[in-house]
Amino acid sequence: MTTSRWLSAGQLRGLRKVGDIVMPGNDEFPSFSQSGAIAHVDRMLDYVKDSDRDGLRLVFGLFRVLPGPAVRSILALSERHRWLPGPLGAAARQINLGVKGVVFTLYYSDVGSGRSIHELIGYDAKVIAPAVPSGEV
Amino acid sequence: MGNEAKTYDAIIVGAGTSGSCVASALSAAGLRCLILEAGKRFARDTYPRAELDANSQLYWGGGIELNTDADIGFLRARVVGGGSIVNQALMDRFDDVALDSWRQRSGVPFFTGEAMAPWYDKAESELCLQYIPTEYRNRNAQIFAEGFAANGYVCAPLRRAQRDCRFQDGNDCIVCLSGCPIDSKQSMPVTVLRRALEAGAELRAETEVLQVAEVDGGVTVTARSAGNGEETYRAGALVLAGGAIGTSSLLLRSGFAARLPLLGRNFYSHPQYMHLAVYDDPVDAHKGPMQSLKSADPNFRRYGFKLENVYAPPVAIAMLLPGFGHAHLERMRRLRQFACIEVSVRDQNPGQVRVDGRGQTVLEKQLDGEDRARRDRGFAAVRNIFLATGAREIVEGSFGISLHLMGGCNMGTDPGTSVVSPEFKLHGCKRIYATDGSIFPDAPGINPALTIMALSWRAGEQIVKDLRA
């Protein structure tokens, strides 16, 4: 069972719910929750600004109690941020960037369990480093 | 709070490009320097490799900071070495267009190619500079070149600070966006900063400066360290090299706004828009040298934008693609088929760095009509390039990403229109200097790293003279 220093059990459920909407998976790709990446959420939340973390906790807490179609509708509305005026558009962008930022960062960083996401999308960047550890600085 | 006062000839805030150069100049002259850096200190075998960890640990804000409209994201390095750790080490001198604009705006006479040349020479002598050999250009670069040729545009090779990327081994430079694992990239920790430390400079990483002040006979700096809580340091001089946002917000938090009314204003950032195109065959834009070509078209320069061939790791690409769910995943499945070109806008509408009532940094930055026109002309050129080279689909970038953070403490001869004097001192201060990108008078439209180095070497010589006077 995943635990977090920053998210309550309910907020984690909200993240898992919206994560599976953002990244539903298919026969080839695991869904967000199947990827197991949520176990690493604190690796990013440890470094997020307090105000941003508070915002994410609020959103994930809300998503936990909303039905799936309502969460999907909010996300879909946030995608239309360019057509929303002033502060509404800014708020939509913040929700969109915040939610997708957490989900995509966890999923596409390839830190979960199971089959490598990088392998599935064909991302194989590498630098062959010397075996000798560095001693500079 | 610890009260032990430690005294140095100079304290330098920030261990990035500027701070490293100033520290090197001062240490070589025998001055005792303390460098304070908020970020961590890594080496080639300890840089975070997962994109999640790199974004979190190498940047302020856990990866990205947003403007108040949330349509531009700022990437601000928080690590020993600063931007030189996370950039692609592109090193260009400024042209007459940029320097003439600076001279006219600031009244500073040394903003000419001739006067800057010795400082550019010095900066270049500290690095190994190379062009990417043609045979190692990847398919993304080839599309760039073919598209330019088909449209009659002019492009040119990019000059990088690199020593031995060993492309023959199949190395991929995109990895080095989170620190080069083989120290080929000529970042500050393996070049200038290393020499500063060898000459006696002291470095404290994970130490965030909270307040600075000029006092009788010197300066005080209050900083918070990961393990030691708050400490106060004393020195004969203070050099601010924390970058445009860091330097401006530190001075604002320290109460300098009253005497420097333009503090935080005239903030520029070269907003960049990455455009993706899908091709039938794999492009593999992440392979080999990630960047090797730039636009060199005089019309583009006149219109206020430039293009570069570029790419980004999967999380960043996922964030650039619109939508979510199955449609988004289908696009990500074609990651290898994406070509990518970036439009970088020479922004002319300045923003502002502010600090709110809780001491949090606020970034106000918008594109005005002229900036949007520059961006859209860039979009049109990218479309022409992609369409001329067989792209099946084009995904236009709608989110600005800013990595070149400049201004906020602009240099000028007139205290009424600037913050920093041509001697690199804050107007009205005797012992506080600013040497980083915060002193830029406007956006040059050219990668700023080499010019930050050149100006920092010049500032270092000035500070040595002042401290010895």
Side-chain angles (χ1 to χ4, degrees):
Chain A
M1 179 185 160
T2 298
T3 59
S4 165
R5 285 185 295 280
W6 301 107
L7 301 180
S8 67
Q11 289 159 351
L12 281 168
R13 278 199 290 277
L15 169 57
R16 197 173 283 112
K17 182 191 288 183
V18 72
D20 282 342
I21 291 171
V22 172
M23 179 45 63
N26 57 25
D27 290 346
E28 194 180 359
F29 284 75
S31 66
F32 176 71
S33 55
Q34 287 168 340
S35 76
I38 196 172
H40 302 271
V41 69
D42 282 354
R43 281 166 64 178
M44 61 187 303
L45 292 183
D46 282 347
Y47 296 90
V48 169
K49 280 196 304 191
D50 290 346
S51 54
D52 291 344
R53 201 161 43 219
D54 290 346
L56 289 170
R57 291 163 65 151
L58 184 70
V59 168
F60 294 146
L62 179 68
F63 285 173
R64 181 215 160 196
V65 297
L66 289 176
V71 174
R72 181 183 297 276
S73 296
I74 291 172
L75 264 185
L77 181 65
S78 77
E79 286 289 327
R80 301 179 64 80
H81 54 80
R82 274 191 280 182
W83 290 273
L84 296 172
L88 268 181
R93 277 187 289 278
Q94 284 176 334
I95 291 171
N96 192 272
L97 290 166
V99 170
K100 285 165 64 174
V102 172
V103 174
F104 286 150
T105 298
L106 289 167
Y107 190 85
Y108 286 112
S109 286
D110 204 13
V111 293
S113 52
R115 184 144 181 221
S116 163
I117 303 300
H118 283 182
E119 195 178 303
L120 286 167
I121 58 176
Y123 183 75
D124 58 354
K126 67 179 186 307
V127 168
I128 299 170
V132 181
S134 59
E136 73 289 322
V137 189
Chain B
M1 175 176 166
N3 289 319
E4 184 189 357
K6 297 164 183 171
T7 304
Y8 297 85
D9 291 318
I11 294 173
I12 298 165
V13 179
T17 298
S18 179
S20 297
C21 292
V22 174
S24 188
L26 270 56
S27 301
L31 298 171
R32 287 171 300 144
C33 295
L34 172 66
I35 313 167
L36 301 175
E37 165 59 49
K40 292 182 181 176
R41 182 175 171 179
F42 295 98
R44 68 183 179 211
D45 51 350
T46 61
Y47 285 114
R49 294 271 66 106
E51 207 176 343
L52 177 159
D53 299 317
N55 294 344
S56 300
Q57 297 183 38
L58 300 179
Y59 292 96
W60 288 86
I64 200 164
E65 298 168 286
L66 298 175
N67 64 343
T68 47
D69 287 346
D71 58 0
I72 301 176
F74 301 88
L75 301 181
R76 177 161 64 117
R78 179 188 171 120
V79 58
V80 170
S84 75
I85 301 298
V86 298
N87 66 16
Q88 272 288 299
L90 309 179
M91 296 288 168
D92 282 329
R93 294 189 182 204
F94 284 4
D95 59 11
D96 288 342
V97 173
L99 290 172
D100 289 350
S101 173
W102 276 19
R103 193 174 61 258
Q104 286 158 17
R105 190 177 284 261
S106 68
V108 176
F110 63 74
F111 288 143
T112 66
E114 188 179 8
M116 288 290 290
W119 303 105
Y120 278 128
D121 290 344
K122 169 64 176 164
E124 288 166 347
S125 73
E126 296 288 331
L127 308 169
C128 180
L129 298 170
Q130 299 178 338
Y131 295 94
I132 303 295
T134 308
E135 65 267 31
Y136 290 120
R137 283 183 193 163
N138 66 14
R139 179 71 190 126
N140 194 36
Q142 290 166 11
I143 288 170
F144 190 90
E146 289 165 12
F148 266 66
N151 285 282
Y153 303 148
V154 181
C155 66
L158 282 163
R159 188 172 65 158
R160 291 190 72 224
Q162 62 179 45
R163 180 173 291 281
D164 180 16
C165 293
R166 303 208 308 260
F167 297 121
Q168 68 276 16
D169 292 346
N171 286 342
D172 305 317
C173 289
I174 200 168
V175 171
C176 305
L177 289 174
S178 54
C180 179
I182 55 174
D183 285 348
S184 172
K185 186 161 72 174
Q186 300 282 280
S187 64
M188 294 297 110
V190 299
T191 55
V192 179
L193 179 60
R194 175 159 67 181
R195 291 190 271 281
L197 299 179
E198 287 169 355
E202 185 181 332
L203 168 65
R204 293 201 177 191
E206 298 182 72
T207 301
E208 183 177 356
V209 175
L210 307 173
Q211 289 274 332
V212 298
E214 188 172 42
V215 296
D216 281 346
V219 297
T220 60
V221 174
T222 304
R224 181 173 50 218
S225 299
N228 297 330
E230 285 188 17
E231 285 193 274
T232 298
Y233 304 88
R234 294 180 189 281
L238 172 65
V239 181
L240 299 173
I245 295 173
T247 293
S248 301
S249 56
L250 174 58
L251 287 170
L252 288 165
R253 283 192 197 95
S254 301
F256 282 78
R259 71 167 92 168
L260 297 167
L262 288 174
L263 180 59
R265 297 178 183 273
N266 296 311
F267 171 61
Y268 299 88
S269 67
H270 289 164
Q272 297 170 17
Y273 296 83
M274 290 171 66
H275 300 267
L276 299 161
V278 184
Y279 287 77
D280 286 341
D281 299 320
V283 175
D284 286 334
H286 64 286
K287 301 301 290 179
M290 193 184 84
Q291 287 190 276
S292 49
L293 292 170
K294 63 178 178 181
S295 60
D297 196 295
N299 285 327
F300 292 5
R301 183 74 173 125
R302 189 160 51 247
Y303 292 149
F305 71 88
K306 68 171 184 172
L307 307 183
E308 288 176 2
N309 82 295
V310 70
Y311 206 52
V315 172
I317 296 295
M319 291 300 293
L320 290 169
L321 294 174
F324 58 90
H326 290 292
H328 189 279
L329 176 58
E330 282 307 306
R331 281 195 159 127
M332 285 299 288
R333 281 164 56 92
R334 292 185 286 177
L335 187 86
R336 293 186 59 205
Q337 294 165 248
F338 288 148
C340 184
I341 297 174
E342 163 192 286
V343 176
S344 179
V345 177
R346 185 184 182 200
D347 47 332
Q348 57 87 55
N349 183 44
Q352 183 176 359
V353 179
R354 289 197 300 107
V355 171
D356 68 15
R358 296 175 300 160
Q360 300 292 309
T361 301
V362 178
L363 303 171
E364 290 180 351
K365 173 72 182 167
Q366 288 92 33
L367 273 60
D368 68 0
E370 172 58 24
D371 287 339
R372 288 193 294 274
R374 293 176 179 203
R375 178 196 63 188
D376 293 345
R377 285 192 191 107
F379 283 12
V382 171
R383 272 194 298 273
N384 290 340
I385 292 164
F386 282 148
L387 292 174
T389 50
R392 295 296 175 197
E393 182 192 359
I394 296 173
V395 181
E396 291 191 342
S398 61
F399 183 69
I401 302 163
S402 292
L403 307 90
H404 302 167
L405 309 177
M406 305 163 290
C409 301
N410 62 304
M411 179 180 276
T413 54
D414 180 358
T417 58
S418 61
V419 174
V420 170
S421 74
E423 291 76 38
F424 296 89
K425 288 179 188 173
L426 299 188
H427 287 304
C429 291
K430 293 179 179 172
R431 297 170 179 276
I432 301 181
Y433 301 81
T435 60
D436 54 26
S438 70
I439 66 174
F440 281 22
D442 66 17
I446 298 171
N447 291 57
L450 189 70
T451 301
I452 291 172
M453 288 186 75
L455 289 172
S456 299
W457 286 114
R458 184 182 179 109
E461 184 181 85
Q462 177 72 45
I463 296 165
V464 170
K465 270 187 207 164
D466 291 349
L467 287 173
R468 284 181 170 163

